[in-house]
Amino acid sequence: MRIGIPAETRAGEKRVATVPEIVEKLIKLGFNVAVEAGAGEAANFSDEAYRAAGAEIVVGAAKIWAESDIVFKVTVASSAEVEVMREGITLIGFIWPAQNPELMQQLAAKKVTVLAIDCLPRQLSRAQKMDALTSQAGVAGYRAVIEAANVFGRFFNGQITAAGKVPPAKVFIAGAGVAGLAAIGAAAGLGAIVRANDTRAEVADQVKSLGGEFVKVEYEEEGGGGGGYAKVMSEGFLQAQREMYAKQAREVDIIITTALIPGRPAPMLITADMVKSMKPGSVIVDMAGERGGNCELTEAGLVVVKHGVTIVGYTDLNSRLARQSSTLYSTNLFRLIEELCKTRDGMINVNMEDDAIRGLTVIKDGEITWPAPPLKMPAPKPAAVAKPAPAAQGHGGGGKPVSAGKTAAIFAVAAVLFLLIGAYAPAAFLGHFTVFVLACFVGYMVVWNVTPALHTPLMSVTNAISSIIAIGALVQIAPPLKEGLDRPDVWICALAVAGIALTAVNMFGGFAVTRRMLAMFRK
């Protein structure tokens, strides 16, 4: 089969659907690849590079659409492109079926098969390699920070120089999805103080791991939606969120907004009053400008200055890193083709029984199949039947609890032994014996009440260090050996020797166990 790569026709679009590196891999799968002349020039991929990779360079998009069996696209196909495409082809790219119902009807009339990369079921772990939304969002988030740095009036990182002290920039990221996390990492890498917020509380750890501070809204409500997106929140939560944003607007130098829910207008997060409250020279980068913007004063595609604040509303952030975006996107499409062509013979099979492929397929042979049915989730495992707790075993044996009479007898015997020791043992021995009994009691209460969750390598190190009690045993041995042994000193010396032996095992064993456990985490 023949894969065609037309040049993108959308104004300002610089990406290309396949790069030379991926062309070589497609040919190894058995496909022929045709690229429109100049399709990769804006992304710094020359026609010569495509020829060297084995692709055929074709002049004119009409020939690509008329002679290809499969067409890769980045942006949504236009009506003009639909008119010249051959019937029955397979189209792969961004479609956004909910936002383009007329385009869906036009494509269906051409009896084509359409795989919308934006409809990929992102809940499936094996679909991550095909997830172009994630790869493109990561690029856009990074580029948003670069655009902010471009118009910001000073350094991101703090500096102390002979000419004076420069405080670090404070950056607030509204929305910690893929784009937001990429922006957090980029801003933190440039040395800024980064804060972030998201309706999904579970991303707080991700924000912290990238060097940011998670700013929580003082309102309890779960914000996780389906497919990795946030959901629309209640009015109470939104009011609390606006108050938090207003406070951050007064404090920070840069705000980057990333909040967007597919199929809906962008939520309004930064009002005109918040913009007025920001410091002169501050910057807002609104990544949702194409869907109305998260800032009230955003103008899509433009950079404007309002109330002394520069508002960047670019809608082509990916095209501003066209080479990187194209490389990642073409890799996503190649992984999809691998799933469609498992026989590696240059023929694809759109398997509607495959959950990932079924979710992507919005039109099959001219029949609209969007939206896809809900994913078949695995049946929950049956709850384990609780086993009755085993009866506590006591000194009486047989698993039966110790009777009150036996307990009293044990205490009576112990009392007699302590009485005999107190009557006949020397005073020095009594002092050591008292410390020994107390140590046993305290040790039992401390060690046996430690939760199993704390049984880590640290416990082994602690045991080894606590074995310093061996020094005490050495002190007990030294005087009797020097002055001569009498009967009590023999017992003390013997107990001290036994103590040294046991603590030596504890010391060396503790460090040995720690070493082995830590080795498990080394590459």
Side-chain angles (χ1 to χ4, degrees), residues 345-485:
D345 59 355
M347 302 296 293
I348 64 171
N349 174 31
V350 182
N351 181 11
M352 300 297 277
E353 298 299 321
D354 185 309
D355 286 338
I357 303 303
R358 176 64 186 88
L360 285 167
T361 307
V362 296
I363 300 177
K364 180 69 163 64
D365 297 328
E367 179 184 352
I368 296 178
T369 59
W370 181 86
L375 292 175
K376 299 176 182 178
M377 304 305 294
K381 296 181 179 180
V385 180
K387 296 182 179 179
Q393 293 189 0
H395 294 286
K400 298 179 181 179
V402 180
S403 64
K406 289 185 178 181
T407 302
I410 292 171
F411 275 99
V413 172
V416 171
L417 290 175
F418 287 152
L419 179 63
L420 293 174
I421 292 172
Y424 297 101
F429 179 82
L430 283 177
H432 292 301
F433 184 72
T434 302
V435 173
F436 172 76
V437 172
L438 291 175
C440 290
F441 176 75
V442 173
Y444 175 84
M445 296 301 295
V446 170
V447 174
W448 292 106
N449 281 287
V450 172
T451 176
L454 299 179
H455 293 168
T456 64
L458 181 62
M459 291 293 290
S460 300
V461 176
T462 305
N463 290 341
I465 296 174
S466 66
S467 298
I468 200 68
I469 195 172
I471 296 176
L474 291 174
V475 172
Q476 294 297 327
I477 291 176
L481 292 178
K482 183 177 180 181
E483 300 172 1
L485 295 173

Side-chain angles (χ1 to χ4, degrees), residues 270-289:
I270 308 299
T271 64
D273 290 337
M274 295 180 194
V275 176
K276 292 178 182 178
S277 70
M278 296 181 72
K279 293 174 285 188
S282 298
V283 178
I284 296 174
V285 179
D286 191 343
M287 295 182 63

Side-chain angles (χ1 to χ4, degrees), residues 286-307:
D286 191 343
M287 295 182 63
E290 190 173 10
R291 300 293 299 170
N294 298 136
C295 176
E296 187 177 356
L297 302 180
T298 296
E299 296 184 22
L302 301 176
V303 177
V304 297
V305 178
K306 302 288 182 69
H307 308 295

Side-chain angles (χ1 to χ4, degrees), residues 483-500:
E483 300 172 1
L485 295 173
D486 56 20
R487 189 172 184 81
D489 288 340
V490 171
W491 284 104
I492 294 174
C493 188
L495 291 174
V497 170
I500 291 174

